[in-house]
Amino acid sequence: MQIRTLLAGTALAALLAGCAAGPTDQAVAPEMEATTATYQGTLPCRNCDGIDLNVTLNGEEQGAIDERTFDLEASYRGHPQSPPDENYTGNWEVLQGTEQDSSATVYELTPDGEGQTYYFLRVDQQTLELIDPNLRRFQNSEMLQLKRL
């Protein structure tokens, strides 16, 4: 809701600034740019020093599903087998409620093709937390959080 208010305020300010400049030869409609939010963090890893996770969500919660896309990149630090980075793209859905909080917002990231579906609880506007497929938080939940850039 705050993002939509911010975007509407920005569009209004741009419109008013255009009016203050006086008439022009062409009428140009203000364009709204797609919303993009990037979150990063390092998740714990049993066999390595950590998994660097980078998640970029494109689109708005209220937008059409085909306009809500994501990119997820995972890199393993200090893994003995040096696996390649994992990169997934796909669409994300908005789910309402978890076992502990019926009003919680959860993002379900479903990759195109192969790959597991990821579930992130929106803790606040700046924080996403990886949760299990049953929409439950893990015991070490603070270690599973990504921060918005």
Side-chain angles (χ1 to χ4, degrees):
M1 187 63 153
Q2 290 177 340
I3 291 174
R4 199 164 62 181
T5 303
L6 178 62
L7 288 174
T10 303
L12 180 59
L15 182 63
L16 291 175
C19 291
T24 61
D25 293 339
Q26 297 178 358
V28 178
E31 293 184 25
M32 298 287 286
E33 290 191 26
T35 302
T36 300
T38 300
Y39 298 85
Q40 283 185 338
T42 301
L43 306 180
C45 177
R46 190 174 305 194
N47 300 324
C48 66
D49 298 332
I51 304 168
D52 293 328
L53 201 61
N54 186 44
V55 176
T56 300
L57 301 177
N58 301 299
E60 296 185 22
E61 288 184 17
Q62 300 81 12
I65 183 67
D66 59 335
E67 295 174 359
R68 291 190 312 253
T69 62
F70 76 88
D71 297 298
L72 185 145
E73 300 169 4
S75 301
Y76 294 85
R77 270 202 254 155
H79 194 285
Q81 298 172 340
S82 301
D85 292 350
E86 296 178 19
N87 297 292
Y88 300 102
T89 61
N91 294 92
W92 56 279
E93 294 265 356
V94 181
L95 307 177
Q96 283 304 128
T98 64
E99 191 174 272
Q100 295 88 6
D101 182 2
S102 61
S103 66
T105 299
V106 174
Y107 300 137
E108 177 185 59
L109 283 60
T110 306
D112 297 330
E114 292 186 28
Q116 73 178 34
T117 299
Y118 291 87
Y119 296 88
F120 289 96
L121 171 67
R122 187 180 70 198
V123 176
D124 56 43
Q125 291 293 336
Q126 301 301 316
T127 311
L128 295 183
E129 180 182 308
L130 183 67
I131 59 175
D132 77 14
N134 294 315
L135 308 184
R136 293 182 301 221
R137 296 174 90 175
F138 293 102
Q139 282 185 323
N140 57 344
S141 60
E142 291 173 3
M143 297 175 68
L144 301 173
Q145 293 184 351
L146 307 178
K147 296 295 182 182
R148 188 172 183 168
L149 297 180

